[in-house]
Amino acid sequence: MKPPRHIAIIMDGNGRWAKERGLPRIKGHEKGAESLRAVVEGCAEVGVEFLTVYAFSTENWSRPKAEVSALMKLLELFIERETPELIEKGIRLQAIGRLTDLPESCQRALHKAIEATSGGTRLTLVLALSYSGRTEITDAVKSIVRDVQAGRIDSAMIDPELISRHLYTRVYPDPDLLIRTSGEMRLSNFLLWQLSYTEIVVTQKLWPDFGKDELREAIAEFHGRDRRFGAV
Ligand code: IPE
Ligand code: IPE
Ligand code: MG
């Protein structure tokens, strides 16, 4: 059976994983980075074309300063450490969100890795960083209004296709499958427009305990779904 073309993941539960073990939250994030590594590899192996992961939301900036800076450091390290393997495996790294909110060293590492992996054709890994679905839609509205005011487009041309082309995700297909770990039944401001017809799998597993086997289970559950897109 064909794998979902695009999988999106809300990687949640790192804090709970650490708490269960009496460890600081950052230890959960570190273990979570290993899960991401395994899941990226798993997606490449089964032939998924796009994997978009929610790594940091705009709302996450409100966490304690120490956790935010540790997360940013971890992100930078992860990007630097994984780049050679991404290149070797034909994985292209991309990012969506208000990337200019990130610390400068993080932005530099990110852009370097995006450039270095740009030749990858097997899988596109999209990191959602300082991402908010509502901000993305707001930015799209502003950009469309500018195009109308400048006379580049006529307001009669505004349709869902045009709106999709103004989102951060313009070049990616909509996700087929959304996975959220650790049991929460909410979107938390992730890809609000793009998830309109996405199949949702929520697992109780905490993100640091999620690996290739759990990915395969989620894909199997996806294959059991009857996607109707409103038709009968
Ligand atoms: C997800 O794990 C990682 C980020 C949001 C950065 P959490 O840190 O939200 O973990 P819980 O939800 O507190 O367990
Ligand atoms: C969503 O998880 C954001 C990321 C996974 C990066 P949160 O833990 O921030 O979401 P809420 O607070 O449970 O909605
Ligand atoms: Mg959480």
Side-chain angles (χ1 to χ4, degrees), residues 11 19-20 32 72 84 113 185 194 199-200 214 217 224 228:
M11 308 183 290
K19 194 169 177 212
E20 279 177 2
M72 291 300 141
M185 302 272 193
Q194 298 87 338
E199 293 298 327
I200 302 176
E214 290 74 17
E217 278 169 32
R228 288 191 292 269

Side-chain angles (χ1 to χ4, degrees), residues 10 52-61 72 95-102 126-139 167-169 172 175 187-195:
I10 301 176
T52 301
V53 295
Y54 207 3
F56 196 85
S57 72
T58 49
E59 290 76 15
N60 290 149
W61 291 113
M72 291 300 141
I96 55 171
R98 286 258 177 105
L99 305 180
T100 50
D101 292 347
L102 302 173
V126 184
L127 300 180
L129 295 168
S130 194
Y131 176 86
S132 147
R134 287 188 172 179
T135 302
E136 178 182 36
I137 293 169
T138 306
D139 285 348
L167 298 172
Y168 307 149
T169 52
Y172 316 128
L187 294 179
S188 301
N189 212 355
F190 192 41
L191 302 175
L192 299 179
W193 174 277
Q194 298 87 338
L195 296 174

Side-chain angles (χ1 to χ4, degrees), residues 12-13 16 63 180:
D12 198 15
R16 275 162 277 182
R63 292 189 178 197
R180 182 163 187 152

Side-chain angles (χ1 to χ4, degrees), residues 23 31 53 68 85 87 90 101 132 134 137 182 196 203 205 207-208 211 215 224 230:
L23 297 168
K31 189 73 175 25
V53 295
V68 170
E85 211 169 310
I87 296 170
D101 292 347
S132 147
R134 287 188 172 179
I137 293 169
S182 80
S196 296
T203 158
K205 283 262 169 171
W207 177 248
L215 174 71

Side-chain angles (χ1 to χ4, degrees), residues 72-83 106 109:
M72 291 300 141
K73 196 79 225 145
L74 180 63
L75 171 68
E76 195 179 322
L77 277 175
F78 179 82
I79 292 167
E80 283 170 354
R81 208 178 34 196
E82 297 303 316
T83 301
C106 227

